[in-house]
Amino acid sequence: MAKESGIVFIGNKPPMSYVMAVITSLSASNAKEITLKARGRAITTAVDTAEITRSRFIKDLKVSKISIGTEEMPAREGENRARMVSTMEITLTKK
Amino acid sequence: MAKESGIVFIGNKPPMSYVMAVITSLSASNAKEITLKARGRAITTAVDTAEITRSRFIKDLKVSKISIGTEEMPAREGENRARMVSTMEITLTKK
């Protein structure tokens, strides 16, 4: 199996849904690495997901990289200009 | 003046309040570095604050460090156990 690094997109479900996705993804593949990607309000959920996975489930998981950025989102209906949204990526690596 | 690195605690005000605090703190002192600290839902605001300061106001500001963690909060009235809360620190450094 390829040693690809998985990506989990964090949305507005409770953190435990994403914790499960991370655990499943890491145990189903040979991947040693997984990246959580989040935008806006979901950033908090991404941090919760990383912390819960690390402290309660996969103890040898390490936060190897965190980056933040900004993305332009197209205007929603009724809005007349694009919004800037903060983004975050957290990479977790198995020791 | 001492070259201390300042700290801005992020709460639940709009990001612009903290952007102003960061700008004021960096220009009032000789500090080349400032750290944003946030817990729980305020984590998103911390990322917004860093991104807005960097992209709109102080262009030579760089994210030099990001760390995440967990803190135990004492139980609130009516709750019977402590809650775990995610934390985040973002350090911004002037080039």
Side-chain angles (χ1 to χ4, degrees):
Chain A
M1 210 181 287
K3 268 201 184 175
E4 273 180 38
S5 60
I7 295 175
V8 172
F9 290 94
I10 308 291
N12 48 22
K13 292 186 206 161
M16 279 310 286
S17 323
Y18 303 108
V19 171
M20 290 309 155
V22 169
I23 295 171
T24 309
S25 169
L26 281 174
S27 57
S29 71
N30 282 326
K32 283 208 160 298
E33 206 173 86
I34 192 149
T35 301
L36 313 179
K37 293 194 180 198
R39 274 201 290 242
R41 288 281 141 207
I43 285 175
T44 307
T45 311
V47 176
D48 289 341
T49 302
E51 285 295 302
I52 294 170
T53 310
R54 216 154 62 93
S55 62
R56 286 200 230 154
F57 298 97
I58 312 179
K59 310 269 183 190
D60 61 346
L61 209 58
K62 237 189 69 187
V63 176
S64 52
K65 203 188 153 194
I66 304 177
S67 62
I68 60 174
T70 305
E71 244 174 57
E72 201 177 316
M73 301 283 284
R76 284 185 284 207
E77 228 170 301
E79 289 177 347
N80 52 6
R81 57 191 194 117
R83 293 168 306 126
M84 304 308 278
V85 174
S86 293
T87 61
M88 187 182 192
E89 290 190 23
I90 304 176
T91 303
L92 300 168
T93 309
K94 259 189 183 169
K95 267 179 255 179
Chain B
M1 211 181 286
K3 267 203 184 174
E4 274 179 35
S5 60
I7 295 176
V8 173
F9 291 94
I10 309 291
N12 48 23
K13 292 185 205 162
M16 279 309 287
S17 321
Y18 304 108
V19 171
M20 290 309 156
V22 170
I23 296 173
T24 309
S25 167
L26 281 174
S27 56
S29 71
N30 283 325
K32 282 209 161 298
E33 207 174 86
I34 192 149
T35 301
L36 312 179
K37 294 194 180 199
R39 274 201 291 242
R41 288 280 141 209
I43 286 175
T44 307
T45 311
V47 177
D48 288 342
T49 302
E51 285 295 302
I52 294 169
T53 309
R54 216 156 61 95
S55 62
R56 286 201 231 154
F57 297 97
I58 311 181
K59 311 270 183 187
D60 61 346
L61 210 57
K62 238 189 67 187
V63 176
S64 54
K65 201 187 154 195
I66 304 177
S67 62
I68 60 175
T70 305
E71 246 176 56
E72 203 177 313
M73 300 283 286
R76 283 183 287 203
E77 230 170 300
E79 289 178 347
N80 52 5
R81 58 192 193 115
R83 292 168 306 127
M84 303 308 278
V85 173
S86 295
T87 61
M88 187 180 193
E89 291 190 23
I90 304 175
T91 303
L92 300 169
T93 309
K94 258 190 186 173
K95 266 180 251 174

